[in-house]
Amino acid sequence: MIGVFDSGLGGLSVLAAISRALPGADLLYLADTAHLPYGAKSDDFIRGRVLAIGRHLANCGCSTVVVACNTATAAALRALREQNSEIAVVGVEPGVKPAAASSLSRRIAVLATESTAKSAGLARLIRDHRGEVAVHVEACPGWATRIEKLDLNDPALASEVSAKILPLLEAGMDRLVLGCTHYSFLAPLLEPLIIGRAELVDVAAAVARQVVRLSGESTGSDGSLKLLATAKPERLLAALPALGLGWLAARVSAPAQLADI
Ligand code: DGL
């Protein structure tokens, strides 16, 4: 079984990519909704949550655990790997490398939570992959929480997003890296703003390919999806259609459950 987790709904963007790549695999999604947003919390707090959830997923029988959260990956991926050598651990890092490699203007922006924006992991990623490209990091406080509320058609969110994005476009940035898995769900808002001027860079499909490489073809599984949350588990199933993922609901094998972690 493949376990995928995030602070909340954001990791569903990664889960969807994994589900497309491995339609026969058994999947377990865990949302740490009692503790979101991670992006405004300390590294120590996030590390504690990641280690507890990773252990829980391993105890549930997951042989692969996907940290479908840039913030958690930056704060705790190494610790999770060190403490769980018996499972394969996959993280999510902002797509600085593909963005820098494809930028024509040689200017790119990374949109991320406050925690990821100031992380050593992102600084290293930029240092290793920027080449001659100028990389601007834009923290987007509050965006993940707004997405959790599913108020994606709220005009106030649209104007907040465009107030952030237009100056980046005016500064010539032609790649916008979605450095938080929640932001994939802003694509319908972002695409019309950037059309003809910039492209979004999302790593969900690349993460799914990495999961396929590590977990191989699944045998003895029936393509089920189990949903767990540390608070309000019923919201997960309801969120799927609101996020354009209604097709994933067909894989859900049982009512979403509360996870006491
Ligand atoms: N989805 C998470 C990420 O990729 C974080 C959202 C949060 O702040 O909880 O960074």
Side-chain angles (χ1 to χ4, degrees):
M1 186 159 54
I2 299 168
V4 180
F5 79 93
D6 180 36
S7 58
L9 303 174
L12 290 171
S13 57
V14 178
L15 179 81
I18 295 171
S19 182
R20 281 191 199 99
L22 289 171
D26 286 337
L27 304 174
L28 192 164
Y29 186 80
L30 193 150
D32 192 12
T33 32
H35 299 99
L36 66 86
Y38 281 177
K41 305 257 177 6
S42 72
D43 279 5
D44 278 354
F45 179 87
I46 298 166
R47 202 172 298 117
R49 294 307 301 157
V50 169
L51 293 177
I53 292 168
R55 184 90 318 265
H56 183 81
L57 293 175
N59 291 343
C60 287
C62 295
S63 51
T64 303
V65 168
V66 182
V67 183
C69 174
N70 295 262
T71 308
T73 297
L77 195 79
R78 185 182 300 171
L80 183 64
R81 281 205 176 115
E82 280 169 7
Q83 295 200 9
N84 298 277
S85 53
E86 77 286 8
I87 57 172
V89 173
V90 178
V92 176
E93 287 187 317
V96 172
K97 187 176 178 184
S102 62
S103 170
L104 300 175
S105 67
R106 319 307 286 155
R107 284 162 198 251
I108 68 171
V110 180
L111 309 175
T113 65
E114 296 141 284
S115 173
T116 301
K118 58 178 197 268
S119 68
L122 181 58
R124 175 192 42 76
L125 199 65
I126 292 172
R127 195 186 57 232
D128 291 352
H129 299 297
R130 71 189 302 171
E132 300 297 312
V133 172
V135 183
H136 171 80
V137 178
E138 187 73 35
C140 306
W143 281 18
T145 309
R146 303 290 292 273
I147 293 160
E148 286 293 321
K149 290 187 184 138
L150 296 174
D151 53 3
L152 298 173
N153 296 318
D154 178 1
L157 176 64
S159 52
E160 201 181 308
V161 166
S162 62
K164 239 345 166 192
I165 298 305
L166 293 178
L168 306 179
L169 299 176
E170 272 145 32
M173 295 172 201
D174 71 350
R175 294 292 179 277
L176 302 183
V177 177
L178 301 177
C180 167
T181 51
H182 279 76
Y183 302 168
S184 298
F185 298 115
L186 291 180
L189 267 183
L190 289 166
E191 295 284 8
L193 282 177
I194 67 170
I195 192 158
R197 300 173 79 180
E199 287 177 18
L200 300 178
V201 177
D202 190 337
V203 297
V207 172
R209 286 194 292 277
Q210 173 72 352
V211 172
V212 172
R213 273 193 292 274
L214 284 175
S215 58
E217 284 307 311
S218 38
T219 50
S221 35
D222 54 10
S224 69
L225 168 60
K226 228 184 199 175
L227 300 174
L228 296 177
T230 53
K232 300 192 183 131
E234 67 290 346
R235 283 198 72 238
L236 275 176
L237 195 56
L240 292 176
L243 296 172
L245 301 176
W247 58 273
L248 258 181
R251 284 185 75 158
V252 176
S253 51
Q257 286 174 18
L258 191 66
D260 186 16
I261 305 165

